[in-house]
């Protein structure tokens, strides 16, 4: 039986509730009055229930879809502006004991495995800092013998301690397997930003089929991880997601929204981020068995999700190609990776992982600078900001600011300051010209005179050699 406050994942992600919601949504999608009512509610920027979102997910009329997509962009820009937060994934280890049918790291792949030594990790971090990155997402397969939690926390401390001239990693997010409350506390103590864990699929029979072996095969342990982390492990911010293509996408987005509603109900804080990876080819994976999502539907499900959870950061991965990433930025995305490597040790020494088995194959292989140029030309302000995390604006201190739109008063100037750092330390002449013009325009657009004056002063101080100024 559906119970949003239950700590049993079979009750807060209730199969019958999802089916009923989808059936009702399919029926009401033809009711123009109901669709308009839901859109009018979405315009208030307070979100939608999963049942209301189900109606919009089933809308097929192209004109109405266009309205939904335009509204998604409006809501995203109201809360987060035209800022796009930049990050890079860093793979620590490809050892894995799980048998996930969709992943190149699965245990049945008899390929050489490796993990970074601390010296190799420092090389990777220096290479990433040379690219201008300030925010990393650590990735690793699940293997408590070769990649225990103590190895992950040692890596985190090494990353924070590794500096290159003006370069430094200021926020480390972690995407590792579901674990214990004690281990979440260890991550927190090591300086964790956001803990990210994808459900992969919320459809339990599909989950069990896709995870035939290894600790990840335990659906309840995996699905209830955020509860352990936030209620007993000291985590402030968590990120969720589904791997679209494992099961019907309508079902998956219902699971995502119900998971978000559950977190709001039991800990008072919804997901800090939601990611939207789509299944891609990977070595040793039967690509023909998946429920692939078309570009049209993928774009639509992202837009409706932005209406449903307007406060959350929405992450766009390098699984999508350059042109489609540009389309998705226009309908709600607020974070994206750039210059990603999905092998172990590939930033400092690309040749080392040329023959390795990656987790999946990338679709956007542009360098970070090429990505930034594209963003600026399209009118987006790149941001390397980590100020909220380091100023304690996390969890239940961040969400009220995001939900009210007040977060823009600090995010906008902080984005400008971190982008200015990039221009001063890493950019070529073309990007400097593009970026400085954008920053000048953004400065003039700051509505509060005092904040505008403070930002102008900080920009001058950056030009004089100071770094890491923030609101």
């Amino acid at each position: 039986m559906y119970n949003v406050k239950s700590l049993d994942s079979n009750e807060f992600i209730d199969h019958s509730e999802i089916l009923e919601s989808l059936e009702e949504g399919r029926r009401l999608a033809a009711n123009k009055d109901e669709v308009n009512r839901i859109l009018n509610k979405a315009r208030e920027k307070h979100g939608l229930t999963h049942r209301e979102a189900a109606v919009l997910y089933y809308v097929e009329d192209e004109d109405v879809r266009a309205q939904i997509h335009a509204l998604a962009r409006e809501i995203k820009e109201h809360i987060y502006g035209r800022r796009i937060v930049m990050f890079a994934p860093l793979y620590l280890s490809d050892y894995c004991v799980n048998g996930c049918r969709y992943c190149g790291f699965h245990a049945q792949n008899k390929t050489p495995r490796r993990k970074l030594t601390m010296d190799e990790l420092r090389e990777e971090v220096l290479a990433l800092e040379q690219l201008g990155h300030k925010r990393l997402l650590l990735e690793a397969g699940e293997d408590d013998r070769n990649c225990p939690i103590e190895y992950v926390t040692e890596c985190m401390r090494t990353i924070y301690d590794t500096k290159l001239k003006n370069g430094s990693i200021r926020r480390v997010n972690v995407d590792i397997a579901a674990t214990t409350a004690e281990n979440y506390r260890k991550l927190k103590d090591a300086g964790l930003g956001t803990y990210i864990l994808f459900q992969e699929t919320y459809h339990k029979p599909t989950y069990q089929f896709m995870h035939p072996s290894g600790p990840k095969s335990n659906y309840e342990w995996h699905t209830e991880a955020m509860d352990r982390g936030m209620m007993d492990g000291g985590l402030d911010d968590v990120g969720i997601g589904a791997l679209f293509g494992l099961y019907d996408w309508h079902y998956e987005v219902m699971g995502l929204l119900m998971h978000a509603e559950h977190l709001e109900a039991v800990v008072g804080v919804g997901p800090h981020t939601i990611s939207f990876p789509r299944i891609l080819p990977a070595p040793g994976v039967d690509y023909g068995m998946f429920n692939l999502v078309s570009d049209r539907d993928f774009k639509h499900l992202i837009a409706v999700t932005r209406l449903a959870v307007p406060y959350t950061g929405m992450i766009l991965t390098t699984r999508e190609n350059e042109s489609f990433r540009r389309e998705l930025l226009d309908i709600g995305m607020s974070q994206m990776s750039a210059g990603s490597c999905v092998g172990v040790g590939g930033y400092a020494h690309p040749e080392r992982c040329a023959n390795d088995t990656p987790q999946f194959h990338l679709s956007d292989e542009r360098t970070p600078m090429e990505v930034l140029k594209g963003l600026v030309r399209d009118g987006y302000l790149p941001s390397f900001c980590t100020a909220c995390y380091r100023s304690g604006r996390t969890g239940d201190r961040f969400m009220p600011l995001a939900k009210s739109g007040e977060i823009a008063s600090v995010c906008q100037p902080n984005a400008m300051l971190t982008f200015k750092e990039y221009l001063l330390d890493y950019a070529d002449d073309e990007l400097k010209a593009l970026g400085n013009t954008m920053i000048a325009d953004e400065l003039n657009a700051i509505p509060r005179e005092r904040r505008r004056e403070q930002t102008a002063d900080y920009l001058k101080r950056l030009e004089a050699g100071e770094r890491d100024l923030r609101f």
Side-chain angles (χ1 to χ4, degrees):
M1 182 178 294
Y2 178 55
N3 181 357
V4 69
K5 293 186 177 181
S6 173
L7 299 184
D8 180 346
S9 57
N10 295 291
E11 294 181 353
F12 67 78
I13 306 293
D14 178 69
H15 177 68
S16 295
E17 172 64 17
I18 292 180
L19 294 184
E20 290 174 14
S21 298
L22 293 178
E23 180 58 34
E24 180 182 81
R26 187 184 294 108
R27 176 174 55 82
L28 292 177
N31 185 323
K32 293 182 179 180
D33 290 339
E34 179 64 6
V35 170
N36 287 333
R37 182 195 70 79
I38 295 171
L39 289 177
N40 286 333
K41 180 182 176 182
R43 289 187 180 94
E44 297 173 1
K45 304 177 180 65
H46 299 312
L48 303 173
T49 68
H50 66 272
R51 288 214 168 201
E52 289 169 330
V55 177
L56 300 186
Y57 286 127
Y58 277 109
V59 166
E60 289 293 334
D61 183 273
E62 289 297 340
D63 290 338
V64 180
R65 281 197 170 201
Q67 291 179 47
I68 291 170
H69 299 179
L71 182 55
R73 177 172 180 169
E74 176 187 328
I75 290 172
K76 183 269 176 181
E77 293 185 4
H78 171 78
I79 295 175
Y80 289 105
R82 298 279 288 176
R83 301 181 304 285
I84 301 296
V85 174
M86 312 302 299
F87 74 95
L90 173 57
Y91 283 73
L92 303 177
S93 169
D94 58 11
Y95 286 99
C96 194
V97 298
N98 292 311
C100 310
R101 298 181 189 273
Y102 49 83
C103 179
F105 289 174
H106 68 81
Q108 286 70 38
N109 255 357
K110 303 304 179 183
T111 56
R113 307 287 174 142
R114 61 191 303 265
K115 70 176 183 180
L116 297 175
T117 67
M118 289 306 118
D119 286 340
E120 290 173 329
L121 176 61
R122 291 185 189 93
E123 286 188 292
E124 289 290 281
V125 174
L126 292 174
L128 285 158
E129 289 175 348
Q130 187 62 49
L131 293 172
H133 283 293
K134 298 290 187 287
R135 178 190 298 235
L136 300 184
L137 173 61
L138 302 191
E139 306 265 9
E142 183 171 9
D143 187 330
D144 285 343
R145 184 172 64 87
N146 289 294
C147 187
I149 196 68
E150 290 76 17
Y151 169 73
V152 177
T153 55
E154 182 184 5
C155 287
M156 294 170 67
R157 294 186 176 100
T158 298
I159 290 167
Y160 281 127
D161 289 342
T162 302
K163 315 290 182 184
L164 175 66
K165 298 180 181 178
N166 290 328
S168 64
I169 301 302
R170 299 171 183 167
R171 178 173 178 140
V172 176
N173 299 333
V174 174
D175 177 3
I176 61 169
T179 187
T180 63
E182 179 184 1
N183 284 345
Y184 288 129
R185 285 191 291 270
K186 291 178 180 178
L187 292 174
K188 179 70 173 177
D189 291 343
L192 174 69
T194 300
Y195 172 66
I196 294 175
L197 181 68
F198 299 159
Q199 180 60 28
E200 316 299 6
T201 174
Y202 285 93
H203 185 247
K204 189 172 180 179
T206 300
Y207 185 95
Q208 292 170 328
F209 172 77
M210 292 292 175
H211 306 95
S213 61
K216 194 171 179 178
S217 62
N218 187 327
Y219 175 88
E220 288 77 16
W221 176 256
H222 188 86
T223 315
E224 295 160 15
M226 298 312 189
D227 291 0
R228 289 193 301 279
M230 299 187 81
M231 299 177 75
D232 301 313
L235 301 186
D236 293 326
D237 292 325
V238 299
I240 62 176
L243 181 54
F244 287 95
L246 298 186
Y247 191 64
D248 176 63
W249 67 264
H250 298 88
Y251 193 102
E252 304 294 18
V253 288
M254 282 295 98
L256 273 173
L257 296 186
M258 289 166 67
H259 202 167
E261 291 169 349
H262 167 72
L263 293 175
E264 286 265 16
V266 298
V267 297
V269 178
H272 190 74
T273 59
I274 297 178
S275 299
F276 295 84
R278 266 197 302 184
I279 191 73
L280 284 179
V285 172
D286 179 7
Y287 193 53
M289 67 177 175
F290 300 111
N291 294 272
L292 302 183
V293 185
S294 69
D295 287 357
R296 176 179 181 270
D297 286 340
F298 193 57
K299 184 175 180 179
H300 184 63
L301 75 86
I302 287 171
V304 176
T305 304
R306 169 55 74 194
L307 271 58
V309 279
Y311 59 81
T312 197
M314 290 175 49
I315 297 178
L316 175 59
T317 76
T318 41
R319 290 170 179 260
E320 305 301 335
N321 64 46
E322 177 184 350
S323 61
F324 193 48
R325 287 181 108 194
R326 185 177 294 115
E327 288 186 48
L328 297 179
L329 287 173
D330 277 343
I331 48 91
M333 293 299 191
S334 55
Q335 300 186 24
M336 67 185 294
S337 53
S340 300
C341 171
V342 293
V344 178
Y347 290 106
H349 299 282
E351 71 284 355
R352 286 185 182 174
C353 63
N355 298 318
D356 287 355
T357 299
Q359 190 180 32
F360 56 88
H361 294 299
L362 295 173
S363 293
D364 186 350
E365 297 182 340
R366 291 176 295 166
T367 67
M369 196 177 306
E370 290 170 335
V371 172
L372 295 178
K373 289 178 182 178
L375 287 173
V376 175
R377 290 191 183 104
D378 290 337
Y380 294 103
L381 173 62
S383 173
F384 296 86
C385 180
T386 60
C388 284
Y389 158 66
R390 291 183 297 144
S391 300
R393 292 191 295 265
T394 58
D396 58 7
R397 296 168 294 283
F398 172 84
M399 280 299 170
L401 295 173
K403 290 179 179 180
S404 67
E406 285 298 309
I407 197 67
S409 66
V410 291
C411 285
Q412 191 76 356
N414 283 333
M416 295 163 57
L417 296 175
T418 57
F419 187 37
K420 182 66 173 182
E421 284 190 64
Y422 184 95
L423 297 178
L424 291 167
D425 294 337
Y426 309 103
D428 62 17
D429 289 341
E430 180 185 20
L431 182 55
K432 285 180 180 178
L434 290 168
N436 284 322
T437 298
M438 168 166 275
I439 287 174
D441 292 339
E442 293 290 330
L443 181 63
N444 290 331
I446 294 177
R448 298 176 183 175
E449 182 178 359
R450 176 61 178 158
R451 182 53 54 89
R452 187 166 60 250
E453 292 173 350
Q454 290 175 317
T455 305
D457 177 62
Y458 279 7
L459 289 168
K460 291 178 181 177
R461 289 167 60 182
L462 291 174
E463 291 175 346
E466 290 188 62
R467 291 295 179 270
D468 199 15
L469 303 175
R470 62 184 187 271
F471 293 97

